[in-house]
Amino acid sequence: MELIVATAIGVLTASGVWLLLRPRTFQVIIGLSLVSYAVNLFIFSMGRLRTAAVPVVNNPAADPASYADPVPQALVLTAIVIGFAMTALFLVVLLAARGLTGTDHVDGRER
Amino acid sequence: MSQFLLITLVALPFVCSIIASMLPANARNAEAWLAGGVAVAGMASTLWFYPQVASGEVLRHEIAWVPSLGLNIILRLDGFAWLFALLITGVGFLVVLYARYYMSPKDPVPRFFAFFLAFMGSMLGLVTAGNLVQMVIFWELTSITSFLLIAYWTHKAQARDGARMALTVTGLGGLALFASVLLLGHIVGSYDLDVVLASGNRIRDHALYVPALLLLLLGALTKSAQFPFQFWLPHAMAAPTPVSAYLHSATMVKAGVFLLVRFWPVMAGTEPWFWIVTFAGLTTLILGAYAAIFQHDMKGLLAYSTISHLGLITTLLGMGSRLAAVAAIFHIANHATFKASLFMAAGIIDHETGTRDLRRLSGLIRFMPFTATLAMVASAAMAGVPLLNGFLSKEMFFAETAIEDPNPFVNLVLPIGATIAGMFSVVYSLRFVFGVFFGPAPQGLDRVPHEPPPLMRRPIEVLVLLCLVVGIMPAVTIAPFLDTAVFAVLGRDIPYYNLSVWHGFNLPLVMSAVALVGGAVLYAGLHRHLEAGIDGPPLIRHLQGQRIFERVLVTVSWKWARALEAVLGTRRLQVQIFLLVSAACLAAAVPLGQGMGPFDLRLDGVDPVFALLWAVGIACAVATAHQAKFHRLVALVLMGGTGLVTCVTFVWFSAPDLALTQLLVEIVTTVLILLGLRWLPKRLLTAEDAPVDAADRGRAVGALLRRYRDLLLAVIAGSGMAIVSYAVMTRPAPDGISRFFLENAYALGGGTNVVNVLLVDFRGFDTLGEVAVLGIVALTVFALLRRFRPAEDSIDKPEQQRIQNAYDEVRPERKVGDTVDEYMLVSSVIMQWLFPVIIVLAVYLFVRGHDLPGGGFAAGVTMSIAFVLQYMAGGTRWVEERLRILPVKWIATGLLLSAATGAASWLFGYPFLTSAFQYADLPWIGRVPMASALFFDLGVFALVVGATVLILIALAHQSVRAPKAARRPAGEGTS
């Protein structure tokens, strides 16, 4: 299972980075989203993959080792919401830039 | 009481500086009363300390700062700091009084007095600092505030340049001092000044002594304008005269010698100290005095004289004998009094005649006899004439230089140099007096000079009186204070010194006589040359520190920077990102290159469903990358596919909260980008994609090569991430902080959903910061879109709408817009009916959040989806006629509620955001846990709703408000 998740992280990163390096703003914004999926999965996977171990502690006496690690989950949860904010800000900036420069090239002008 | 006073002494000027900056622009009197009051209060508390300080006690007050690093804010007042505090507040008061009359009603006085008070506070902070780091901070503060003061007349280029030069030189010195302090702290093991002062032998014997010394001297010599850093001081004369009188007599430039004296007990007495400090001091002493003779600007003359006198103090400190240190401290006080009064006199003359040029001024004694007399007495003190304070310390200096020593430099150069410098100082003092006050009446002045207002003269009178009193009766006036200051520096074994005017007929007296007579003769000889009005001192006219300084600055900050930019820089984002990603890969390769330990490839336990899932996910991701250029909608849908697979992964591996949030955010992100698509240009094939001629083909090959290069980098980055994450995932988890959260989530946070408890309780402060960021982003988006100007070709309605409207137009029974409304009829009815359902879902998610997957974030996004769906179903106008959402208020309420919940714990005496919980019995529902974190989460909820809705609606509104097109950039023509 770890192999699949690792491969997924790798492919998502590669696709995202490829798009980040492209010249059109839309490509870059999609690339950023893909990279943030990869990063979120990466951070999440740092808590190791555990099935059927939801960190909801109904029995206080239970062994803490029987739950998945809640810390990366909490980190990723806010990262998802902040990621949305970042996408929104970037989208608006690129729309404004497109209006001002007349092009959707990342440098503000066609080569 | 004394601790309170000590804090007030340093803090009051800063507090009043803020007050001063807020007074009206013409409140000259109020400002002067305020600043004067601060100075008097400071002086009064300093005097109040005297009995304690005089008994040899060192006042200390510690405030915990970073206790874990052993750093405390320590206020420390010993006899030497006391003397400085008295000078700073005393001269400060006189300068305030003077400035009240000097500053013109047109000058913005609040700025002046605000900077002035801030500077005073920085100086007081510097002299009372009992911690080395704290000392450096105040040291830098004096650099910055003096920069602001020198550049006070911002409209003058000279003032700006002078201020910048002063800041650059003293600021660099400050950095060196910081490094030195860190070294000292390392050597001693403490930053506490008392500890450092007690470990002199340890410092001097340490291997790092020489570097620490060099850096320390760099700081002190730049600040005190010592050779070779003396050039900034004359340029700082562009400041208003009260500033010069304060900065260049009693305070700013004295900070350098203050530092030398402060560290004298632990750093002095070694070979490097002796040679560097004495050489720098003696060179400055002679060169400064020499240059002062040939200045035509009154303030320039005084500036070089200041440099020279600081050189004298530095030389004394360099010599390393205890008696010389006493003389240095004595001269610090003496110089402050006569030089401040001379600067003020120069300012009055400038004020009354409109010029400071010694070639234009003469015979002013007829017009202002009183000021002339005062200035002459002060000049005499500067020249070292007997019965004035300058004579006493200069005599001590001569006595020190005249001591027999086996070293020929010490034996010959020092006394001869000292005598020559003494001669020069007589010459420039004579020049000042005769040039300004004697001779024929001045010609061609703008106005007839007369005596200034009495209160403007009062500060000079006080200072000149001090010169006289100290000069005539040193033993009863200055002696006890000097004793106190000297005791603080030298400790118990103070050398015997005798402060009296007459020491008998001895070598120093001969040197004094030679200097006085020789100076007078030299002045007579030079008179003709000086009258000629030639610029610059002979012989060293071309040696201009300023020019060297500027050349170095231009080279470093312009030429080298440009060269570096040409080699490394680019303004193209693509290249920047490429370099950035490459650098990240390289940086990651460094630790990975050292090996990652055992790496076992495990294929067992693979669930085929999961594998299939990610086969889809990976395909989606790759297809997204492939399609994003020409098929934006397709790319967006494919990206959503990847997002969904990610979401299922979270469910699979026990993270329902993440899955929920991811799913909801996926929805709003898609809506967001869909809204943006409308404003993007149609993507047409470019020459690179479909080459026509040879040039295009060449470009196409270039583009292809770039793509392969980027692909390679992307694959490297991806493989790296895959390897690292696999390596980590296959290792056993370390026992980190998670155990604590799992064990205590219920006991301390009152919730069973540990992720939610983490967010709203354990790490609540982080969450507060994060939602604040979200709110700021939403407001930024809103603000950016208020003046949104789309490109010209995006103004028209989208093609699809045009076709639909054209369909309506040709049919008489249909209104334009009917088709647009109708084609989504079924889905829009469903969406409208879903409104209450989704709201209930949001409330449900919110309420269960503390114990089960859900919470403020998820509920907030859900709620915003409910709103956005209505917009999609009915259109912007339809919704806003029926529903007023006011997202900005949601944001404000949310942020306030979260912050207030956090602040409420203060009422119960707990730190910010401490949460409490208990169970409440509600009718019909039963026992429910009520944690204060619930209110915090409610704030998060409201803020997320507001921010998300605001972003989406602001973007959606653009289609409704028929925005104006942006002007095309110049050169592309307008149509």
Side-chain angles (χ1 to χ4, degrees), chain B residues 24 47 833 872 890 912 960:
Chain B
L47 288 174
W833 286 2
M872 291 165 73
W890 282 80
F912 188 63
V960 183

Side-chain angles (χ1 to χ4, degrees), chain A residues 1-20:
Chain A
M1 296 299 262
E2 281 82 4
L3 190 64
I4 298 174
V5 175
T7 316
I9 292 172
V11 174
L12 287 179
T13 311
S15 316
V17 169
W18 158 263
L19 282 176
L20 284 185

Side-chain angles (χ1 to χ4, degrees), chain B residues 879-898:
Chain B
V879 176
E880 290 184 354
E881 279 161 18
R882 288 159 182 78
L883 194 63
R884 281 171 61 78
I885 297 175
L886 303 175
V888 179
K889 293 216 166 126
W890 282 80
I891 295 179
T893 314
L895 203 55
L896 278 177
L897 186 60
S898 296

